[in-house]
Amino acid sequence: MSGIKPRAFLWCLLALLLGAYLITLAKNNTLNLDSNILSLLPATEADPAVEQAFTNFSEQTMRRLVFLVANTDKAAAMRSADELANALQTNRFIESVELKRGTSDQATTGDFFFRHRHHLLSKSDQALLAAGDFTAFSDQAIQQAYAPFSGGLIALLQNDPFLLSFRNATATASNNQQSLALDDGYLVAQDDGDYYVLVTAELARSSFDQEVQLETLAGISSLEANWSASANDSRLIRTGALFYAAHAYETARREVNIIGGGSMVLVLLLMLLAFRSVGPLILVSIALGFGVATGFVLVRLLFGEVHLLTLVFGASLIGVAEDYAFHYFALEEERSGAARLKHILPAISLGLLTCVIGYAALLVTPFPGLQQMAVFSISGLIGAYLTVVLLFPVIPLHDKNSPWLLALCKRLIALSSTKGARYGFYLALVFPLFALASLYYTENAPEDVRSFQALNAELLSQEESIQNLLNAPAANQFYLVKGASPDELLTNLEAAEDKLSAMVAADVIDGFVNIAGSLPSVEQQMRNYELYSNLYNSDAGRALIDAGLLTEEQLAKAKTAFESDSQNYLDAAEWKTSPIGKELAYLWLDPAAQTQADNNSSGYAAVIALRNVKQLDQMADFATGAGGQAVFVDKVSTVNSMLSAYRHNIGWLLFVTCSLIFVILLWRYRLHKALLILTVPVIAISTTVIVLALIGENLSLFHVLPFFLLVGLGVDFGIFFAEDGSLSSSTLLTVLLSALTTLFSFGLLTLSTTLAIHSFGLSMLIGLTCDLLLSPIAGNMLVKQREFTHAGTTG
């Protein structure tokens, strides 16, 4: 016992350090629980600047909240929109709210376009001026002047005879918000008898901040409750990363409680049933708690944060980590803790090694999310193992195995010894061939990165409604353009216009939003000015005089103002402070990423947002002029391709994993026994593939990843029998309890609404059931071989 107490002291020291660290994190609110799906994904772009630009663009768009207040009564919709805006403005986490464009806002917008009217020109007006169709400008000015409510435009004619500022403002608004019209300062859309008023907001902090989520959602829910109580028929349609993040957080929290809590309850009940003592119950709880704490702390230290899906997945650790405790408690004939540990140490050490190899396969994936899960599971298993090895021997036990469970194990041993059981095992050896045939003839499921996230049908429906009504651009599909200076960037953006317009004409995309439409390069502004000079030098002004809208003196004054305005170029700095610049600020990404790995990275970058990509196969990078390039960024498709590629290569990785485990088994056992131990998980994996095919589940990556764990767990069960040397009831009880509890925890993963977790759990449920059925048969065959040998001996 001399060496036992110092080891227990070491465990207590480790537990104190873990507890102190976790308490400090909780006290400082730095647990850093993350629900951002992007943090689960790898870098997908070869150019670091492109990857950084995607990150910047995502961060900007993820802070935006978009609301449509709907009502059959336009005035009621506007009043409700006012109430929403007021409620949002009282939220300390809302940086800005935009609803009504008042007189001052419209004046600011009008002043901006007026000051730069001679250098801004829409594509359609460029074509008119290039063709010499100057009367189109005077004709439209006359029509606008005599239209109802045109008093402001008549006054504008004196200084802007052709209403160039009005034309530019209208063209810009049309391109950026195609379905909305300005009505009494509100942006309003009408569809199918309903009026929709737009309200937008910008968060001051991340959408994935739980405090932000709680306060913002509480405020919105309170407002909706007030509407309902006051018989207000207005309804709220919303979209934004915050709403998806909040749903993901709540889903993960609920599933951690169900999966983790359910697993814990089932494990503890099984423990109480099997050992009829509170002692093992307490000790296994300590082992599991220490394991989960170890997993959480290691992930937090290595990654700086812990994703909620890691916790959901880590909750299944409960079903694996208690294996070592079960092996310890089942040896009721050994009253000494040191004797128990000595008896089981080779088996649990070898079992830990094989399980770690299985989980380590997730570490080599390029996905940070899967790497987090691997680190959590490996360190958690090691934590549970250390608890058994360091702490358990110092605790006196008076456990007694359940007689009826031991009797059940004896009957199972007898059944596993029959010829029928052996013949069934031999028959199952053909399952790998059927599994290979199934893989060859069945179609694999297309990978979808959204399977990482629990999706809410209502939120998806509301987002689709907003996309359709606003014709809003996509957030994850866009073109990225770079430039060494702001003007070079704008030149490259302009060069992309023709290609993008051709794509619209070919019905490849519905449209696009380009900064260059409202912020031309200096060279383009010079060309625009030259085109306008032809207009001012034409006879178009005479039509305005003949219509009585201008005098000779006013026209001459307007021409003089035009001539003196030649160098009044709009630059990026002024554009950013303008209303249109603020509206499109999320598209400007200066400065672009500067990294040592990318010495040629440009200093500025901008996004060209795309509306409704219809033909994804037609989307590709293209040149934008001298050295420039528009890079198509489609994070979802790129990650999906990576998932598919990894799934297709996973067979080789599985072969390497099995080979490593087989080498370890050969070090401990002879060839025949090593092959027999490895056969069980191979049959279990093959059975899983066949069953999934039979129930209509096409294999995705998350159906396949559990195969590594099935190898580790299946080998673990075989090692228990091989190390025991005899097929005793206590050994089978250990395997039975381990298999059942693992089955409970991983089986509960199938309840997850996150498709990736559900698919993982389904494969584990099928494979572990097969492991449980085959392990006693293989154990009986292992014992009968009598070829057990320790390292360095011969049997």
Side-chain angles (χ1 to χ4, degrees):
M1 289 288 290
S2 60
I4 297 296
K5 289 184 177 179
R7 290 204 295 268
F9 176 78
L10 175 61
W11 184 92
C12 290
L13 182 61
L14 291 173
L16 284 173
L17 290 173
L18 283 176
Y21 182 70
L22 288 171
I23 290 171
T24 302
L25 291 179
K27 186 177 180 180
N28 297 331
N29 197 27
T30 54
L31 288 171
N32 289 6
L33 296 178
D34 183 23
S35 58
N36 185 356
I37 188 174
L38 293 179
S39 61
L40 296 173
L41 307 180
T44 57
E45 306 298 335
D47 185 347
V50 176
E51 186 66 33
Q52 184 61 43
F54 173 81
T55 301
N56 293 345
F57 181 59
S58 299
E59 287 176 353
Q60 291 187 41
T61 55
M62 283 183 179
R63 290 178 184 267
R64 300 183 73 199
L65 304 178
V66 180
F67 302 91
L68 287 178
V69 180
N71 200 306
T72 54
D73 184 312
K74 182 170 65 174
M78 291 177 176
R79 286 194 300 271
S80 298
D82 285 330
E83 293 174 6
L84 172 62
N86 291 334
L88 292 173
Q89 286 168 345
T90 62
N91 186 328
R92 59 196 171 109
F93 298 119
I94 300 291
E95 187 173 275
S96 62
V97 178
E98 184 175 351
L99 167 61
K100 192 172 182 180
R101 300 187 178 183
T103 305
S104 61
D105 296 323
Q106 295 179 52
T108 302
T109 302
D111 181 62
F112 167 76
F113 281 105
F114 178 78
R115 282 185 287 110
H116 297 285
R117 65 193 182 281
H118 297 138
H119 293 93
L120 301 180
L121 188 59
S122 67
K123 285 287 185 181
S124 57
D125 283 354
Q126 284 179 24
L128 289 174
L129 292 174
D133 189 359
F134 306 123
T135 57
F137 287 81
S138 56
D139 289 346
Q140 187 168 359
I142 294 170
Q143 292 173 11
Q144 292 289 345
Y146 287 114
F149 312 107
S150 60
L153 291 180
I154 293 176
L156 180 63
L157 279 168
Q158 297 180 19
N159 298 308
D160 185 6
F162 303 106
L163 299 180
L164 301 181
S165 55
F166 177 77
R167 295 174 73 95
N168 289 327
T170 303
T172 301
S174 176
N175 185 51
N176 296 332
Q177 294 286 358
Q178 290 189 347
S179 302
L180 296 173
L182 199 61
D183 189 333
D184 195 23
Y186 298 89
L187 285 171
V188 181
Q190 185 177 11
D191 182 64
D192 198 23
D194 284 327
Y195 291 92
Y196 299 88
V197 180
L198 177 68
V199 181
T200 60
E202 192 83 15
L203 292 170
R205 280 164 47 177
S206 170
S207 295
F208 302 97
D209 186 315
Q210 189 186 2
E211 197 176 9
V212 175
Q213 295 171 14
L214 290 174
E215 184 162 329
T216 304
L217 292 179
I220 293 172
S221 297
S222 175
L223 178 65
E224 290 182 306
N226 290 338
W227 286 354
S228 178
S230 62
N232 185 342
D233 292 333
S234 294
R235 64 186 190 279
L236 197 58
I237 304 172
R238 75 209 75 185
T239 191
L242 177 135
F243 304 111
Y244 286 103
H247 174 71
Y249 182 89
E250 179 58 29
T251 300
R253 186 192 62 79
R254 183 176 65 251
E255 291 181 357
V256 166
N257 290 337
I258 292 173
I259 296 170
S263 298
M264 179 68 79
V265 169
L266 289 171
V267 168
L268 295 181
L269 286 176
L270 198 57
M271 288 279 296
L272 196 60
L273 185 66
F275 302 115
R276 300 183 300 168
S277 173
V278 178
L281 205 65
I282 296 172
L283 286 178
V284 79
S285 299
I286 292 172
L288 293 176
F290 188 82
V292 171
T294 303
F296 186 95
V297 167
L298 261 291
V299 170
R300 173 66 175 77
L301 287 172
L302 292 176
F303 294 90
E305 60 191 13
V306 182
H307 201 279
L308 292 172
L309 282 188
T310 300
L311 290 182
V312 175
F313 181 85
S316 66
L317 182 67
I318 292 170
V320 183
E322 83 294 331
D323 286 5
Y324 317 125
F326 284 156
H327 213 50
Y328 181 88
F329 298 137
L331 295 174
E332 63 175 346
E333 69 277 4
E334 298 284 1
R335 289 302 176 187
S336 164
R340 289 192 184 210
L341 181 62
K342 182 179 179 181
H343 189 93
I344 69 167
L345 189 59
I348 66 173
S349 299
L350 202 56
L352 173 66
L353 182 59
T354 56
C355 280
V356 166
I357 291 174
Y359 278 107
L362 300 180
L363 278 175
V364 303
T365 68
F367 298 92
L370 297 180
Q371 292 169 0
Q372 273 198 30
M373 295 175 190
V375 170
F376 191 102
S377 299
I378 290 171
S379 52
L381 285 176
I382 293 173
Y385 171 86
L386 290 176
T387 304
V388 173
V389 172
L390 300 178
L391 180 66
F392 279 21
V394 81
I395 308 295
L397 283 177
H398 302 286
D399 59 309
K400 185 75 174 176
N401 291 342
S402 171
W404 73 268
L405 275 179
L406 290 174
L408 174 63
C409 289
K410 286 181 180 178
R411 285 195 291 271
L412 290 175
I413 291 172
L415 286 173
S416 66
S417 304
T418 61
K419 288 184 179 180
R422 288 198 303 275
Y423 289 155
F425 188 89
Y426 295 142
L427 181 63
L429 292 175
V430 302
F431 283 11
L433 297 177
F434 286 111
L436 289 173
S438 174
L439 289 174
Y440 182 80
Y441 286 108
T442 58
E443 180 182 358
N444 288 328
E447 300 294 349
D448 190 347
V449 67
R450 289 170 295 185
S451 63
F452 274 113
Q453 190 172 27
L455 298 177
N456 181 282
E458 183 180 356
L459 285 177
L460 289 172
S461 175
Q462 291 189 35
E463 180 182 8
E464 185 179 357
S465 298
I466 290 175
Q467 291 276 2
N468 292 336
L469 282 167
L470 303 186
N471 198 14
N476 54 22
Q477 292 175 320
F478 55 84
Y479 275 103
L480 178 74
V481 179
K482 296 188 291 181
S485 66
D487 203 60
E488 181 180 305
L489 170 61
L490 294 171
T491 300
N492 290 334
L493 288 170
E494 289 164 354
E497 285 273 336
D498 290 340
K499 173 67 175 179
L500 291 166
S501 297
M503 293 167 67
V504 173
D507 205 31
V508 175
I509 58 176
D510 275 351
F512 58 91
V513 181
N514 189 352
I515 286 172
S518 57
L519 176 60
S521 65
V522 171
E523 184 179 354
Q524 182 59 51
Q525 291 185 58
M526 291 172 64
R527 287 196 293 267
N528 292 344
Y529 186 84
E530 288 299 320
L531 287 171
Y532 278 136
S533 67
N534 296 331
L535 173 63
Y536 274 94
N537 292 327
S538 71
D539 293 332
R542 174 55 56 183
L544 299 174
I545 294 172
D546 293 343
L549 296 174
L550 283 181
T551 65
E552 295 277 2
E553 292 77 11
Q554 288 172 336
L555 181 59
K557 183 179 178 181
K559 287 183 178 181
T560 301
F562 170 75
E563 291 166 357
S564 64
D565 200 35
S566 61
Q567 302 300 312
N568 183 27
Y569 299 120
L570 172 63
D571 60 24
E574 183 182 356
W575 176 84
K576 289 177 191 177
T577 62
S578 71
I580 186 63
K582 292 177 181 177
E583 185 177 336
L584 299 181
Y586 70 103
L587 299 176
W588 186 278
L589 303 173
D590 68 321
Q594 295 283 356
T595 67
Q596 294 179 352
D598 182 28
N599 295 324
N600 296 320
S601 65
S602 300
Y604 296 85
V607 163
I608 300 178
L610 304 174
R611 290 192 176 101
N612 191 20
V613 176
K614 296 180 177 179
Q615 301 179 44
L616 189 58
D617 58 329
Q618 298 297 311
M619 308 300 293
D621 301 352
F622 60 86
T624 58
Q629 189 178 36
V631 178
F632 180 60
V633 179
D634 182 3
K635 189 75 170 182
V636 171
S637 295
T638 305
V639 174
N640 288 347
S641 297
M642 291 181 69
L643 288 170
S644 296
Y646 186 74
R647 182 187 64 203
H648 292 145
N649 294 327
I650 213 164
W652 291 108
L653 186 57
L654 189 62
F655 175 77
V656 171
T657 302
C658 290
S659 299
L660 287 174
I661 292 176
F662 184 64
V663 169
I664 294 171
L665 294 175
L666 279 179
W667 169 79
R668 183 70 177 170
Y669 314 110
R670 287 185 174 176
L671 176 63
H672 192 91
K673 187 165 287 190
L675 284 172
L676 189 56
I677 291 173
L678 198 56
T679 296
V680 172
V682 170
I683 294 175
I685 291 170
S686 303
T687 303
T688 303
V689 172
I690 294 169
V691 172
L692 288 173
L694 290 175
I695 64 176
E697 289 268 337
N698 290 324
L699 280 184
S700 70
L701 176 64
F702 298 98
H703 287 105
V704 175
L705 284 175
F707 294 171
F708 296 98
L709 310 188
L710 290 175
V711 170
L713 292 170
V715 168
D716 202 8
F717 296 158
I719 288 172
F720 287 165
F721 288 116
E723 290 292 327
D724 187 59
S726 63
L727 195 59
S728 65
S729 297
S730 62
T731 301
L732 184 56
L733 178 61
T734 301
V735 172
L736 182 64
L737 294 176
S738 299
L740 285 175
T741 52
T742 307
L743 201 62
F744 291 157
S745 58
F746 279 108
L748 286 174
L749 290 180
T750 59
L751 300 178
S752 175
T753 56
T754 303
L755 184 59
I757 298 293
H758 169 82
S759 300
F760 197 104
L762 183 60
S763 287
M764 288 298 294
L765 181 63
I766 299 168
L768 281 171
T769 301
C770 187
D771 270 338
L772 177 59
L773 295 174
L774 292 177
S775 289
I777 304 172
N780 188 279
M781 297 168 70
L782 281 167
V783 170
K784 287 188 176 181
Q785 289 299 320
R786 300 295 183 186
E787 292 178 0
F788 171 80
T789 182
H790 292 283
T793 69
T794 60

Coordinates of all heavy atoms in Angstrom, one line a residue, residues 429-473:
L429 N -18.4 -14.1 -41.0 CA -17.1 -13.8 -41.6 C -17.3 -13.3 -43.1 O -16.4 -12.7 -43.6 CB -16.2 -14.9 -41.5 CG -15.7 -15.3 -40.1 CD1 -14.8 -16.6 -40.2 CD2 -14.9 -14.2 -39.5
V430 N -18.5 -13.7 -43.6 CA -18.7 -13.3 -45.0 C -19.3 -11.9 -45.1 O -19.4 -11.3 -46.2 CB -19.6 -14.3 -45.8 CG1 -19.0 -15.7 -45.8 CG2 -21.0 -14.3 -45.2
F431 N -19.7 -11.3 -43.9 CA -20.3 -10.0 -43.9 C -19.5 -8.9 -44.6 O -20.0 -8.0 -45.3 CB -20.7 -9.6 -42.5 CG -22.0 -10.3 -42.0 CD1 -22.5 -11.4 -42.7 CD2 -22.6 -9.9 -40.8 CE1 -23.7 -12.0 -42.2 CE2 -23.7 -10.5 -40.3 CZ -24.3 -11.6 -41.0
P432 N -18.1 -8.9 -44.3 CA -17.3 -7.9 -45.0 C -17.4 -7.9 -46.5 O -17.4 -6.8 -47.1 CB -15.9 -8.3 -44.6 CG -16.1 -8.9 -43.2 CD -17.3 -9.7 -43.4
L433 N -17.6 -9.1 -47.1 CA -17.8 -9.1 -48.6 C -19.1 -8.5 -49.0 O -19.2 -7.7 -50.0 CB -17.8 -10.6 -49.0 CG -16.5 -11.4 -48.8 CD1 -16.6 -12.8 -49.3 CD2 -15.3 -10.7 -49.6
F434 N -20.2 -8.8 -48.2 CA -21.5 -8.1 -48.5 C -21.4 -6.6 -48.3 O -22.0 -5.8 -49.0 CB -22.6 -8.7 -47.6 CG -23.0 -10.1 -48.0 CD1 -22.7 -11.2 -47.2 CD2 -23.7 -10.3 -49.2 CE1 -23.1 -12.4 -47.5 CE2 -24.1 -11.6 -49.5 CZ -23.8 -12.7 -48.7
A435 N -20.7 -6.2 -47.3 CA -20.5 -4.8 -47.0 C -19.8 -4.1 -48.1 O -20.2 -3.0 -48.6 CB -19.7 -4.6 -45.7
L436 N -18.7 -4.7 -48.7 CA -18.0 -4.1 -49.8 C -18.9 -4.0 -51.0 O -18.9 -3.0 -51.7 CB -16.8 -5.0 -50.1 CG -15.6 -4.9 -49.1 CD1 -14.5 -5.9 -49.4 CD2 -15.1 -3.5 -49.0
A437 N -19.7 -5.1 -51.2 CA -20.7 -5.0 -52.4 C -21.7 -3.9 -52.2 O -22.0 -3.2 -53.1 CB -21.3 -6.4 -52.5
S438 N -22.1 -3.8 -50.9 CA -23.1 -2.7 -50.7 C -22.5 -1.3 -50.9 O -23.2 -0.5 -51.5 CB -23.6 -2.8 -49.2 OG -24.4 -1.7 -48.8
L439 N -21.3 -1.1 -50.5 CA -20.6 0.1 -50.8 C -20.5 0.4 -52.2 O -20.5 1.5 -52.7 CB -19.3 0.2 -50.1 CG -19.3 0.3 -48.5 CD1 -17.9 0.1 -48.0 CD2 -19.9 1.6 -48.1
Y440 N -20.2 -0.6 -53.0 CA -20.0 -0.5 -54.4 C -21.3 -0.2 -55.2 O -21.3 0.7 -56.1 CB -19.4 -1.8 -55.0 CG -19.0 -1.7 -56.5 CD1 -17.9 -1.1 -56.9 CD2 -19.9 -2.3 -57.4 CE1 -17.6 -1.0 -58.2 CE2 -19.6 -2.2 -58.8 CZ -18.4 -1.6 -59.2 OH -18.1 -1.5 -60.5
Y441 N -22.4 -0.8 -54.8 CA -23.6 -0.6 -55.5 C -24.6 0.5 -55.0 O -25.5 0.8 -55.7 CB -24.4 -1.9 -55.6 CG -23.7 -3.0 -56.5 CD1 -23.1 -4.1 -56.0 CD2 -23.8 -2.8 -57.9 CE1 -22.5 -5.0 -56.8 CE2 -23.2 -3.7 -58.7 CZ -22.5 -4.8 -58.2 OH -21.9 -5.7 -59.0
T442 N -24.3 0.9 -53.8 CA -25.2 2.0 -53.3 C -24.6 3.3 -53.4 O -23.4 3.5 -53.4 CB -25.5 1.7 -51.8 OG1 -24.3 1.7 -51.0 CG2 -26.3 0.4 -51.6
E443 N -25.4 4.3 -53.5 CA -25.0 5.7 -53.7 C -24.7 6.3 -52.3 O -25.5 6.2 -51.4 CB -26.1 6.5 -54.4 CG -25.7 7.9 -54.6 CD -26.8 8.7 -55.3 OE1 -27.8 8.1 -55.6 OE2 -26.6 9.9 -55.5
N444 N -23.6 7.0 -52.2 CA -23.2 7.7 -51.0 C -24.1 9.0 -50.9 O -24.4 9.6 -51.9 CB -21.8 8.1 -51.0 CG -20.9 6.8 -50.7 OD1 -21.3 5.9 -50.1 ND2 -19.7 6.8 -51.3
A445 N -24.4 9.3 -49.7 CA -25.2 10.6 -49.5 C -24.3 11.8 -49.8 O -23.1 11.8 -49.4 CB -25.6 10.6 -48.0
P446 N -24.9 12.8 -50.4 CA -24.1 14.0 -50.6 C -23.8 14.7 -49.3 O -24.7 14.8 -48.4 CB -25.0 14.9 -51.5 CG -26.4 14.3 -51.3 CD -26.2 12.9 -51.0
E447 N -22.6 15.1 -49.1 CA -22.2 15.7 -47.8 C -22.8 17.1 -47.7 O -22.9 17.8 -48.7 CB -20.7 15.8 -47.6 CG -20.0 14.4 -47.7 CD -20.4 13.5 -46.5 OE1 -21.0 14.0 -45.5 OE2 -20.1 12.3 -46.5
D448 N -23.2 17.5 -46.5 CA -23.7 18.8 -46.3 C -23.2 19.3 -45.0 O -23.5 18.8 -43.9 CB -25.3 18.8 -46.3 CG -25.9 20.2 -46.3 OD1 -25.2 21.2 -46.1 OD2 -27.1 20.3 -46.5
V449 N -22.4 20.4 -45.0 CA -21.8 21.0 -43.8 C -22.9 21.4 -42.8 O -22.7 21.5 -41.6 CB -20.9 22.1 -44.1 CG1 -21.7 23.3 -44.7 CG2 -20.1 22.6 -42.9
R450 N -24.1 21.7 -43.3 CA -25.2 22.1 -42.4 C -25.6 21.0 -41.4 O -26.3 21.2 -40.5 CB -26.4 22.6 -43.2 CG -26.1 23.9 -43.9 CD -27.2 24.3 -44.9 NE -27.2 23.4 -46.0 CZ -28.0 23.5 -47.0 NH1 -28.8 24.5 -47.1 NH2 -28.0 22.6 -48.0
S451 N -25.1 19.7 -41.7 CA -25.4 18.7 -40.8 C -24.7 18.9 -39.4 O -25.1 18.2 -38.4 CB -25.0 17.3 -41.4 OG -23.6 17.3 -41.6
F452 N -23.8 19.8 -39.4 CA -23.1 20.1 -38.1 C -24.1 20.9 -37.2 O -23.8 21.0 -36.0 CB -21.9 21.0 -38.4 CG -20.6 20.3 -38.7 CD1 -20.1 20.4 -39.9 CD2 -20.0 19.5 -37.7 CE1 -18.9 19.7 -40.2 CE2 -18.8 18.9 -38.0 CZ -18.3 19.0 -39.3
Q453 N -25.1 21.5 -37.8 CA -25.9 22.4 -37.0 C -27.3 22.0 -36.9 O -27.9 21.4 -37.9 CB -25.9 23.8 -37.7 CG -26.5 24.9 -36.8 CD -26.2 26.3 -37.4 OE1 -26.0 26.4 -38.6 NE2 -26.1 27.3 -36.6
A454 N -27.9 22.1 -35.7 CA -29.4 21.8 -35.6 C -30.1 22.9 -36.3 O -30.1 24.1 -35.9 CB -29.7 21.7 -34.1
L455 N -30.9 22.6 -37.3 CA -31.6 23.6 -38.1 C -33.1 23.7 -37.6 O -33.7 22.7 -37.2 CB -31.6 23.2 -39.6 CG -30.2 23.2 -40.2 CD1 -30.3 22.8 -41.6 CD2 -29.5 24.5 -40.1
N456 N -33.6 24.9 -37.7 CA -35.0 25.1 -37.3 C -35.8 25.5 -38.5 O -35.5 26.4 -39.2 CB -35.0 26.3 -36.3 CG -36.4 26.6 -35.8 OD1 -37.1 27.3 -36.5 ND2 -36.7 26.2 -34.6
A457 N -36.8 24.7 -38.7 CA -37.6 24.8 -39.9 C -38.3 26.2 -40.0 O -38.4 26.8 -41.1 CB -38.7 23.8 -40.0
E458 N -38.7 26.7 -38.9 CA -39.4 28.0 -38.9 C -38.4 29.1 -39.2 O -38.7 30.0 -40.0 CB -40.0 28.3 -37.5 CG -40.7 29.6 -37.5 CD -41.3 29.9 -36.1 OE1 -41.2 29.0 -35.2 OE2 -41.9 31.0 -35.9
L459 N -37.2 29.1 -38.7 CA -36.1 30.1 -39.0 C -35.8 30.0 -40.5 O -35.6 31.0 -41.2 CB -34.9 29.9 -38.2 CG -35.0 30.3 -36.7 CD1 -33.7 30.0 -36.0 CD2 -35.3 31.8 -36.6
L460 N -35.6 28.8 -41.0 CA -35.3 28.6 -42.4 C -36.4 29.2 -43.3 O -36.1 29.9 -44.3 CB -35.1 27.2 -42.8 CG -33.8 26.5 -42.2 CD1 -33.8 25.0 -42.4 CD2 -32.6 27.1 -42.8
S461 N -37.6 29.0 -42.9 CA -38.8 29.5 -43.7 C -38.8 31.0 -43.7 O -39.0 31.7 -44.7 CB -40.1 28.9 -43.1 OG -41.2 29.5 -43.8
Q462 N -38.5 31.6 -42.5 CA -38.5 33.1 -42.4 C -37.4 33.7 -43.2 O -37.5 34.7 -43.9 CB -38.4 33.5 -40.9 CG -39.7 33.2 -40.1 CD -39.6 33.8 -38.8 OE1 -39.1 34.9 -38.6 NE2 -40.2 33.1 -37.8
E463 N -36.2 33.0 -43.2 CA -35.1 33.5 -44.0 C -35.4 33.5 -45.4 O -35.1 34.4 -46.2 CB -33.8 32.7 -43.7 CG -32.6 33.1 -44.5 CD -31.4 32.2 -44.2 OE1 -31.5 31.2 -43.6 OE2 -30.3 32.6 -44.7
E464 N -36.0 32.4 -45.9 CA -36.4 32.3 -47.3 C -37.4 33.4 -47.7 O -37.3 33.9 -48.8 CB -37.0 30.9 -47.6 CG -37.3 30.6 -49.0 CD -37.9 29.2 -49.3 OE1 -38.0 28.5 -48.3 OE2 -38.2 29.0 -50.4
S465 N -38.3 33.7 -46.8 CA -39.3 34.7 -47.1 C -38.6 36.1 -47.3 O -38.9 36.8 -48.2 CB -40.3 34.8 -46.0 OG -41.1 33.6 -45.9
I466 N -37.7 36.4 -46.4 CA -36.9 37.6 -46.4 C -36.1 37.7 -47.7 O -36.0 38.7 -48.4 CB -36.0 37.8 -45.2 CG1 -37.0 38.1 -44.0 CG2 -35.1 38.9 -45.4 CD1 -36.2 38.2 -42.7
Q467 N -35.4 36.5 -48.0 CA -34.6 36.5 -49.3 C -35.5 36.8 -50.5 O -35.1 37.5 -51.4 CB -34.0 35.1 -49.4 CG -32.9 34.8 -48.4 CD -31.5 35.3 -48.8 OE1 -31.4 36.0 -49.8 NE2 -30.6 35.1 -48.0
N468 N -36.7 36.2 -50.5 CA -37.5 36.4 -51.7 C -38.1 37.8 -51.8 O -38.2 38.4 -52.9 CB -38.7 35.4 -51.6 CG -38.3 33.9 -51.8 OD1 -37.2 33.7 -52.4 ND2 -39.0 33.0 -51.3
L469 N -38.5 38.4 -50.6 CA -39.1 39.7 -50.7 C -38.0 40.8 -50.9 O -38.3 41.8 -51.6 CB -39.8 40.0 -49.3 CG -41.1 39.3 -49.1 CD1 -41.6 39.4 -47.7 CD2 -42.2 40.0 -50.0
L470 N -36.8 40.6 -50.4 CA -35.8 41.7 -50.5 C -34.9 41.4 -51.7 O -34.1 42.2 -52.0 CB -35.0 41.8 -49.2 CG -35.8 42.1 -47.9 CD1 -34.8 42.3 -46.8 CD2 -36.7 43.3 -48.1
N471 N -35.0 40.2 -52.2 CA -34.0 39.8 -53.2 C -32.6 40.0 -52.7 O -31.7 40.5 -53.4 CB -34.2 40.6 -54.5 CG -33.5 39.9 -55.7 OD1 -33.1 38.7 -55.7 ND2 -33.3 40.6 -56.8
A472 N -32.4 39.6 -51.5 CA -31.1 39.8 -50.8 C -30.0 38.8 -51.3 O -30.3 37.7 -51.7 CB -31.3 39.6 -49.3
P473 N -28.8 39.3 -51.3 CA -27.7 38.5 -51.8 C -27.4 37.4 -50.8 O -27.7 37.5 -49.6 CB -26.5 39.4 -52.0 CG -26.9 40.6 -51.1 CD -28.3 40.7 -51.0

